[in-house]
Amino acid sequence: MTEQGQGSASGMPETLTIAVVGDVHDQWDAQDERALRRMGVDLVLLVGDFGNEAVGIVRAIAAMSIPKAVILGNHDAWYTATDWGRSKRPYDPKVEDRVQQQLDLLGETHVGYSYLDFPALGLSVVGGRPFSWGGSQWKNEDFYASRYGVRSFQESTERIVAAAQAAAHNTILFIGHCGPLGLGSAPEDPCGKDWKPIGGDHGDPDLAAAIARTRALGKSVPLVAFGHMHHSLRHTKTQLRRPLHIDPAGTVYLNAACVPRIVSIEEDCLRNFSLVTLRQGKVFQASLVWLNQDCAIHSKQVFYQQNAPAIEEREESEAIA
């Protein structure tokens, strides 16, 4: 949460707490907003896959009054972007367009190929390519051409960079549904391919190029948040996906797709959020927290903390003030 009265020359508060909501997949309810408020977060980043064109869930998220930025994922155009999806579509596209309904509900908070300035926080959020399926093959040509006039990775990069250039602040947080190319090609890496054939970097090349060019503009990029590639792996149950990567420039790349994000255990219900603390414009800590039905911390895993190893804590009795 923001420390009142403490700020930097850039207008950014000394400390910010950011919640990143990974792939929702139909698991969102009123308790989520309550939990976010109890945690006192300054900003919520939601990285898509709310459901298979789940307009109702997007409507609930759009109504949430906490400062937020959103990007839609591949499941959010599940029945629209591909021939296979259109063949399974449970509604008449001549009567309704559920992709457009989601975009209309979210309005300016949807930052795919766009940006949103947060003057009180001294930063801007820039979105990568919306509805991304990941990988280095240009997919869904007709969808992107008709919706956005984009026909290649190069054109996609130009759209993202234009958004970063237009953003008011020099501190840029990027969000994508899939992360950028370049975070590793092992199946356990943040965007690694964990289905047959095993291995390969499934990150978005247009997002990677846009981040590099944004840095070249003199902007700071402390955090890139995304989902899509679930923490649980398809090829093994003996380990989980590596959720975090730090590049030589100090940018923290966080995969927040811990799915399912709501689980029942005994007589309790747990839900997860990724939390990122910024101090003086840099990531100080990144973690995954599970909250119980009373919004108390059930467990917390710290993925990164400045000058400290990753740790895991269980704080079942600690209520969030």
Side-chain angles (χ1 to χ4, degrees):
M1 61 196 75
T2 303
E3 294 182 0
Q4 299 297 326
Q6 299 293 319
S8 66
S10 66
M12 177 179 290
E14 184 75 14
T15 301
L16 293 173
T17 300
I18 300 167
V20 185
V21 180
D23 296 30
V24 168
H25 291 296
D26 298 306
Q27 291 188 313
W28 182 271
D29 57 35
Q31 184 79 340
D32 282 302
E33 182 170 357
R34 177 173 175 256
L36 289 164
R37 291 191 178 281
R38 290 285 297 275
M39 288 190 290
V41 302
D42 297 289
L43 176 65
V44 185
L45 305 176
L46 301 105
V47 297
D49 272 10
F50 299 109
N52 291 345
E53 301 188 14
V55 174
I57 288 178
V58 171
R59 179 177 290 110
I61 287 168
M64 183 173 63
S65 59
I66 303 172
K68 61 184 178 293
V70 184
I71 191 164
L72 292 168
N74 60 301
H75 278 266
D76 304 313
W78 194 248
Y79 300 119
T80 303
T82 68
D83 290 339
W84 178 89
R86 288 188 287 269
S87 72
K88 306 290 184 182
R89 187 156 38 194
Y91 62 90
D92 185 350
K94 296 178 181 178
V95 176
E96 58 180 328
D97 181 344
R98 293 186 184 175
V99 169
Q100 191 60 47
Q101 287 176 42
Q102 294 173 88
L103 292 168
D104 291 344
L105 285 165
L106 293 169
E108 67 174 8
T109 63
H110 183 256
V111 295
Y113 284 152
S114 188
Y115 69 96
L116 191 56
D117 296 323
F118 292 90
L121 305 182
L123 58 80
S124 300
V125 179
V126 173
R129 172 166 36 98
F131 308 104
S132 172
W133 290 61
S136 295
Q137 178 184 355
W138 184 252
K139 303 181 182 73
N140 308 328
E141 296 92 340
D142 294 342
F143 177 81
Y144 282 110
S146 63
R147 296 270 173 174
Y148 295 101
V150 171
R151 294 171 176 81
S152 66
F153 284 125
Q154 182 178 355
E155 291 182 4
S156 183
T157 297
E158 295 298 332
R159 289 287 298 270
I160 302 167
V161 173
Q165 285 180 307
H169 300 285
N170 282 329
T171 298
I172 302 291
L173 309 184
F174 275 98
I175 62 173
H177 178 56
C178 188
L181 190 75
L183 307 186
S185 58
E188 300 82 15
D189 285 331
C191 300
K193 185 171 173 285
D194 64 328
W195 60 90
K196 294 182 179 180
I198 298 293
D201 189 338
H202 203 63
D204 283 343
D206 46 346
L207 181 56
I211 292 167
R213 287 180 54 185
T214 298
R215 282 206 195 99
L217 294 171
K219 305 232 177 187
S220 171
V221 184
L223 175 68
V224 179
F226 54 94
H228 187 52
M229 310 293 278
H230 297 180
H231 289 186
S232 57
L233 297 167
R234 302 185 193 188
H235 71 290
T236 179
K237 300 305 176 188
T238 63
Q239 66 182 108
L240 297 175
R241 184 179 301 280
R242 181 167 63 91
L244 187 136
H245 179 89
I246 305 173
D247 71 12
T251 296
V252 171
Y253 298 81
L254 178 64
N255 180 334
C258 184
V259 180
R261 63 171 299 269
I262 300 178
V263 298
S264 296
I265 60 165
E266 299 175 351
E267 297 181 358
D268 207 348
C269 178
L270 307 179
R271 65 192 64 230
N272 73 63
F273 299 90
S274 294
L275 291 181
V276 176
T277 302
L278 293 185
R279 288 189 180 175
Q280 297 180 331
K282 298 181 179 180
V283 174
F284 173 76
Q285 186 184 89
S287 61
L288 179 73
V289 297
W290 287 90
L291 306 183
N292 66 19
Q293 59 192 1
D294 297 320
C295 295
I297 295 175
H298 177 270
S299 64
K300 177 180 179 179
Q301 183 178 5
V302 178
F303 297 137
Y304 168 78
Q305 184 165 309
Q306 280 183 3
N307 304 317
I311 59 174
E312 185 168 1
E313 305 171 0
R314 296 187 66 81
E315 306 179 41
E316 299 184 26
S317 62
E318 180 183 337
I320 296 174

